[in-house]
Amino acid sequence: MTIATMMQQQCFVAGIWVDADSRKTISVTNPANGEQIGTVPNCGAAETEKAIAAAAEAFKSWSKTDISYRVGLLRKLHAALLENQESLAQLLTLEQGKPLAESRGEIAIGAAYILWFAEEIRRAKGEIIPSPSNDRKLLVTHQPVGVVGAITPWNFPSSMLARKLGPALAAGCTVVAKPATATPYSGLAWAALCEQVGFPAGVVNILTGSSSDIGGAIMASPQVRKVTFTGSTEVGKTLIRQSAETVKKVSMELGGNAPFIVFDDADIDAAIEGAMISKYRNMGQTCVCTNRFYVQSGIHDEFVSRLKQATADLTVGDGMHAGVEQGPLIDANAVSKVEQMIADATAKGGHIAEGGQRHSLGGTYFQPTVITNANADMQFATDEIFGPLSAVFQFQHEKQAIAAANATEFGLAAYAYTRDVGRVFRLSDELEYGLIGINSGLITTVEVPFGGLKESGLGKEGGSQGLSDYLETKYTALAGI
Ligand code: NAP
């Protein structure tokens, strides 16, 4: 498929491409130049209820299909993603802004999640538990949880849906999904591919439009048995509250505030490489992006000088252009937030070592920035930056670094660079984070459980744990044997 045929401007409900009942649409723009790319339907509660009804109807048969049939469809979906990787990546960059190379990577990991869950469902074993008496057998079995509501963010508009569709479809669940309004086409492309490879009508439904209306209908419906959300902690908390009414299962992948600790004994080349990937990937707009660099005093000046140079060397521009490493930020609010954090930091003694301004390209481009002399009173010590701003704090002792790293309500990703094996184990034990990268700034892979502690979330995506969140566990006692 070409980028034009991949770019669906309608929603997919009950196996049919539809407009909003009101015919209202929402404009979608390219953050690289502010121009309109197209429109998508502005759906609300009524269309969502139709989608939920279709998903509930489809669940009756889909949940009873042979695993080998579902695995076959997922394998076809995996192949279709890779066949269309280039046009899907272009569509992603067009609406989201990240460099094309990163978009290609996102499509590849999304495809890998689909394949992983197609494999993993074959290992979703039950148990026969030894019974306390010989006349009984105690069976533990798993069943698909039911209709799943999936709500995804703009920063990984394709792979965040992959992590939800993959396990849901493998398990035998049906799905009603709502992609972020800023980046709807990467989500709608999943519906086009699912249709193309032959998923039955109603199994996958994807709607765009009002987040509170679509989200509200999903949360209120007793037919939706699970909600999986990736996005901000604030919205996640609202959804958790709303889930109480119908006692839904929830999976929440929420915000982060990742520390990146560099000890005096670190391999500095590796630390700089890890710093750049963990800080500036997707222009700093990932939940696992480094928010706070803690650098030990003996290596601080060299690390800052190298980070400053590497940051200055980044090529900023339209993500579609070859060689570009930093695209535009998603919107004007994202730019204002970074500016506000820079102003706050400089007012409290921070020093701008690199960048610090809007980029001369205009629009939502921002200079990759480094601020040194950071302290715990600055806004970025506690709040997610979500932009290309490196904040560097200095520390003296290991305990001080660990305490500072943990001084946040978030607990998604943390990174540390050291060659001391004992310290590696102390960090693994003491950092209050769901994902810990030692001597690596890029650790996501489909085989492992991805998810945060504390207010960064509930549940895991990926690994075997990412499938069990879509399965109910049942116990059957066979007596009188
Ligand atoms: P967001 O504002 O929370 O939006 C996420 C999704 O929720 C969007 O589809 C949004 O729709 C929808 N939404 C907003 N309000 C809603 C409501 N009241 N009811 C139902 N749905 C609602 O987050 P974002 O700005 O798109 O994404 C950035 C955040 O996601 C960051 O905090 C980042 O750390 C987090 N994130 C976490 C992970 C992880 O795995 N832990 C991964 C990626 C991102 P609209 O687009 O229509 O507003």
Side-chain angles (χ1 to χ4, degrees), residues 230-450:
T230 301
S232 60
T233 296
E234 188 190 349
V235 173
K237 286 180 180 178
T238 301
L239 299 180
I240 292 170
R241 278 185 214 105
Q242 292 175 342
S243 72
E245 278 307 307
T246 50
V247 193
K248 294 185 202 316
K249 265 178 175 282
V250 290
S251 293
M252 294 282 149
E253 293 291 346
L254 308 178
N257 178 4
F260 186 111
I261 310 171
V262 187
F263 290 94
D264 284 346
D265 68 345
D267 173 339
I268 190 140
D269 292 336
I272 290 295
E273 190 186 331
M276 295 304 288
I277 188 89
S278 79
K279 176 66 247 182
Y280 293 109
R281 192 158 64 107
N282 199 6
M283 296 74 78
Q285 303 171 117
T286 87
C287 54
V288 292
C289 270
T290 294
N291 215 56
R292 300 165 288 153
F293 286 99
Y294 291 102
V295 188
Q296 201 162 14
S297 47
I299 201 172
H300 176 270
D301 291 356
E302 189 186 356
F303 180 84
V304 166
S305 145
R306 298 270 306 267
L307 180 66
K308 176 175 147 54
Q309 189 57 53
T311 301
D313 289 346
L314 287 170
T315 306
V316 181
D318 184 334
M320 287 292 209
H321 298 164
V324 165
E325 295 162 297
Q326 291 285 284
L329 300 194
I330 189 70
D331 59 24
N333 286 341
V335 175
S336 303
K337 188 173 173 194
V338 174
E339 278 183 327
Q340 184 197 324
M341 286 200 177
I342 293 172
D344 168 79
T346 50
K348 292 172 181 165
H351 167 67
I352 299 175
E354 180 57 43
Q357 307 279 329
R358 288 178 187 233
H359 198 276
S360 56
L361 286 169
T364 59
Y365 292 96
F366 202 87
Q367 293 175 341
T369 296
V370 178
I371 293 196
T372 56
N373 207 27
N375 67 55
D377 293 332
M378 295 175 185
Q379 198 188 341
F380 47 51
T382 48
D383 295 358
E384 203 176 19
I385 302 170
F386 241 57
L389 161 57
S390 291
V392 186
F393 302 69
Q394 195 170 161
F395 73 92
Q396 311 293 330
H397 308 294
E398 181 184 308
K399 278 191 186 323
Q400 198 188 354
I402 293 174
N406 287 339
T408 166
E409 71 269 26
F410 295 108
L412 187 57
Y415 309 93
Y417 278 71
T418 179
R419 285 181 280 198
D420 176 333
V421 176
R423 177 182 282 149
V424 167
F425 281 93
R426 290 193 294 279
L427 291 168
S428 176
D429 284 347
E430 291 174 31
L431 286 172
E432 296 164 356
Y433 288 84
L435 314 165
I436 299 176
I438 302 290
N439 299 326
S440 175
L442 186 64
I443 60 171
T444 305
T445 179
V446 302
E447 296 84 357
V448 299
F450 183 107

